[in-house]
Amino acid sequence: MVLDAQNSKISINGCILIAPSELVSDPVVSKRHPIHHMTWLYFLTQINTFDVFVDASVNCRPTGHSSFSDKVRVPAGAFGHAPPIVPRDSERGAAPWVTTPCAAPRPVPAVSCDRAPFSTCPGTMASSEDDGAVDEKETNNRRRNRGAIATAWLTFYNIAMTAGWLVLAITMMRFYLQKGTHRGLYRSIAKTLKFFQTAALVEVGHCAIGIVRTSVIVTGVQVCSRIFMVWFIASSIRQVQSEESVILFLVVWTVTEISRYSYYTFNLLHQVPYFIKWARYNLFIVLYPLGVVGELLTIYAALPIVRRTAMYSLRLPNKYNVSFDYYYFLIIAMLSYIPLFPQLFFHMLRQRRKVLHGEVIVEKDD
C-alpha cells in the first residue's frame, strides 16, 4: 500500500489515482458534465465507501467512450481488493486518501457510472483480448472436432443402414425366385427386419442431441409407427404374415430406405449421383401411398384376430383398475393416418421442389 498524504495522489504503473473529493471539485468536470457532476455529489453523500477514480489523461488510455471524457470510475475490487471503508467527509475531515496497489494483469469488467468501458493497468486489456482469442480458437477447434466426429458417425450409420436394407432386398428376391410364392417370406427375413428397423431409433437420438436438424416428434412418429407395424402387428399376429399387404409394405419400405440412406450417405460425402437424387425425390410419389395402403390393409386384417383373442387387452376388474382394448387402439391407429399422411407427403413434395429445382438446402429429415 502506498500513501501520499500531501497530494492525495499516487501513481501506479503510470496511472494517477485521485480521491473523489478532487473529482467532484474539479471545475473542468463540473463545467463539461454538470448533470453527472451533481449526480456524483448526491451519490457520494449517500455512501461511506471510498470510491477510486483513474485519471485517464496520464498514460492510461480509455478503450472506449465515457460520460467523463477524462475521468472514469473503477469499480470496487477492480484492483484485486475491495476499497477501504472510511467515514463520511463530515466525520473524517481532510483524512488522507488510501488505496491498494494494482494487482497482476487480469481481465476486468468494463463498468463505469454509465456502464462505459474503461482501461485498467497497462497490459491488462491486451491480456484479456489474447485470452479471449485463445478461448475462441479452442472453442472453434472443439466444434470442428465434434462436427467431424458427427459426420463420421452419420456416414457410418447411413452406410450400415443402406447395406442392411440391401440385404433384405436380396433375401426377398432370392426367396421368391426359389419358392415362387410369398408365403413364408416374412419369416425368412423377420430377424433382419426387426434389427434394422429397430436400429432406426438411433435417428431419434440424432435429432435429440442436435447432430441432425429435424424435429424429434416427426422423426419419432415415423420410426415408431414402423416399429409398431413390425413388432406388434406382423410379428405378433402370425395369421397376417402371409397377407399380400405385408409383402406390399415390405417392398415399399425396402426400396424407400435404400434410396433414402444412400442419398444421405452421398450427401455427407458431398457427391450425390443424379440418379440417387432422382430416386429419392420421385419414387416416394408412388411408394408413400402404396406403403400406407399396405400398412392399413395389414392392420385391418389383424382386427378380427385381435378381437377374438383379446391380445394385449386388459379387462376389468384387475388389480391395476385400468381397462385397455387393443382392438379399439388399432382402430384409432388407422384413423391417425388421415391427418398424418398428408402432412408427410406434402412435406416431401416441398423438399422435391427445392432439391430438383436447384435450390441449395441441407436435407436431413423425413
Side-chain angles (χ1 to χ4, degrees), residues 3 13 15 37-39 57 71 74 76 89 111 113 140 164 176 206 214 245 248 283-284 322 336 341 353:
L3 174 65
N13 291 341
C15 300
H37 177 66
M38 296 175 64
T39 303
S57 63
K71 291 182 174 64
V74 178
D89 291 342
V111 179
C113 57
N140 292 335
Y176 189 81
H206 293 165
T214 308
S245 58
L248 177 59
L283 294 180
F284 80 90
V322 175
S336 67
F341 170 71
R353 289 194 297 268

Side-chain angles (χ1 to χ4, degrees), residues 254-271:
T254 302
V255 176
T256 301
E257 297 299 67
I258 290 173
S259 63
R260 185 167 74 98
Y261 286 118
S262 60
Y263 173 80
Y264 290 162
T265 301
F266 286 109
N267 193 35
L268 288 167
L269 299 175
H270 306 289
Q271 296 290 337

Side-chain angles (χ1 to χ4, degrees), residues 245 248-249 252 284-295 341:
S245 58
L248 177 59
F249 76 72
V252 168
F284 80 90
I285 298 175
V286 176
L287 295 179
Y288 263 34
L290 287 178
V292 169
V293 170
E295 294 172 21
F341 170 71

Side-chain angles (χ1 to χ4, degrees), residues 26 30 32 36 42-43 96 113 179 201 240 248 303 352:
D26 190 335
S30 175
R32 290 182 182 175
H36 288 294
Y42 174 77
F43 176 75
C113 57
K179 303 293 183 179
L201 284 171
V240 303
L248 177 59
L303 286 177
R352 178 179 180 272

